[in-house]
Amino acid sequence: MDSGMNHMNNMNGVGSMNNMNSMGSMSRIMLLEDDLSLVNGLSFAFQKQGYTLEVARTIADAKRIWCMGKFDLLVLDVSLPDGSGFEFCQEVRKTSSVPIIFLTASDEETSIIMGLDIGGDDYITKPFKLGVLVSRINALLRRAKDFGVSQIPQTELCANGISVQLLNGQAYKNGTLLDLTAAEYKLLCLFMKNPNIVLSKAQILDRLWDCENNYIDNSTLTVYIRRLRMKIEDNPSEPQMILTVRRMGYKWNVLD
């Protein structure tokens, strides 16, 4: 077993912390870790605490999962097969203040300082006691709640492998920059801000263009929809993200 697992032996201590389950049940955590034995141990422990857990074993997996939903806390290993948890942290910090804990076998001061300087909130070296990790997670979750992290203005939209960076006006599909016109970008943002909601053509036109641009009609909107599908859908002839709802309008479909 991994050295991190060797000292995750305080299972009675974990059981005694069940009074914290009410917090865990509201918390969604991403675990980025490539060691399967450690993943299995942490998955069991986190789920016992009531956390909702998503596991990534590579940086590529983490980027994909990050774009699929919102998380309350990230637990990141530092050394991954395709990069570093530090690198992923830096990407996350461009758009989010979500609490981040690093897990690593390195206890060198320079590594710890680097992890905290780039935006990490805590740093635990392997081997570690599971009870200590869970306590630190709960402490960070309480702190985030107290400081109202959820009230930070939204700077990123993520779903279906599509990521929109609202601060710089750019959109990406699976990490690749999309070449969108201004109208296509605004249309994509409108859809992603209203997931699984049917928007009528009138609603879309009203939100995207003001009265002095009322020459844009339903036919023009259809063209924009088709062009956007060509750029974001895997198979534009059978769209899975932007669905046409007969006699009603269009819907941004969030895939599982």
Side-chain angles (χ1 to χ4, degrees), residues 55-89:
V55 176
R57 299 188 63 191
T58 64
I59 298 294
D61 284 345
K63 291 180 178 179
R64 175 181 56 81
I65 294 172
W66 175 250
C67 286
M68 295 298 288
K70 296 180 179 179
F71 293 90
D72 298 293
L73 184 139
L74 308 183
V75 179
L76 309 180
D77 189 15
V78 172
S79 298
L80 285 307
D82 58 343
S84 166
F86 289 161
E87 298 170 6
F88 182 63
C89 174

Side-chain angles (χ1 to χ4, degrees), residues 101-105 122-128 132-133 136:
I101 296 179
F102 287 114
L103 298 180
T104 179
D122 206 345
Y123 194 104
I124 297 182
T125 57
K126 305 173 185 176
F128 56 86
V132 173
L133 174 59
R136 292 193 181 186

Side-chain angles (χ1 to χ4, degrees), residues 32-231:
L32 173 57
E33 171 61 60
D34 66 323
D35 185 271
L36 186 57
S37 63
L38 187 54
V39 167
N40 290 339
L42 290 177
S43 296
F44 175 79
F46 286 1
Q47 290 168 6
K48 187 175 181 180
Q49 287 295 304
Y51 302 134
T52 299
L53 183 67
E54 294 287 343
V55 176
R57 299 188 63 191
T58 64
I59 298 294
D61 284 345
K63 291 180 178 179
R64 175 181 56 81
I65 294 172
W66 175 250
C67 286
M68 295 298 288
K70 296 180 179 179
F71 293 90
D72 298 293
L73 184 139
L74 308 183
V75 179
L76 309 180
D77 189 15
V78 172
S79 298
L80 285 307
D82 58 343
S84 166
F86 289 161
E87 298 170 6
F88 182 63
C89 174
Q90 289 175 309
E91 288 298 313
V92 169
R93 281 292 176 256
K94 293 178 181 178
T95 59
S96 174
S97 297
V98 62
I100 294 176
I101 296 179
F102 287 114
L103 298 180
T104 179
S106 174
D107 60 357
E108 294 183 2
E109 183 178 357
T110 54
S111 295
I112 296 175
I113 292 173
M114 178 183 297
L116 298 177
D117 282 350
I118 65 173
D121 296 279
D122 206 345
Y123 194 104
I124 297 182
T125 57
K126 305 173 185 176
F128 56 86
K129 291 185 178 180
L130 182 57
V132 173
L133 174 59
V134 172
S135 292
R136 292 193 181 186
I137 287 174
N138 283 326
L140 280 176
L141 291 172
R142 284 195 301 270
R143 188 188 310 165
K145 182 178 180 181
D146 291 342
F147 280 88
V149 171
S150 61
Q151 301 303 314
I152 294 176
Q154 189 174 22
T155 60
E156 181 180 28
L157 303 171
C158 282
N160 303 339
I162 305 297
S163 172
V164 176
Q165 308 296 325
L166 297 174
L167 294 180
N168 58 21
Q170 294 180 328
Y172 298 81
K173 178 179 179 180
N174 297 326
T176 301
L177 181 65
L178 294 170
D179 183 17
L180 302 179
T181 65
E184 291 164 352
Y185 173 80
K186 289 191 290 184
L187 184 59
L188 178 61
C189 289
L190 176 60
F191 278 129
M192 294 185 70
K193 289 179 179 179
N194 296 274
N196 297 319
I197 296 175
V198 177
L199 300 175
S200 69
K201 292 182 178 181
Q203 287 176 312
I204 295 173
L205 292 172
D206 183 62
R207 295 283 294 275
L208 294 184
W209 295 280
D210 57 28
C211 295
E212 52 184 308
N213 287 328
N214 57 15
Y215 60 87
I216 297 177
D217 56 17
N218 288 343
S219 297
T220 306
L221 176 59
T222 301
V223 172
Y224 282 128
I225 294 287
R226 183 172 68 249
R227 289 179 179 173
L228 183 57
R229 282 172 170 163
M230 292 292 292
K231 296 179 180 181

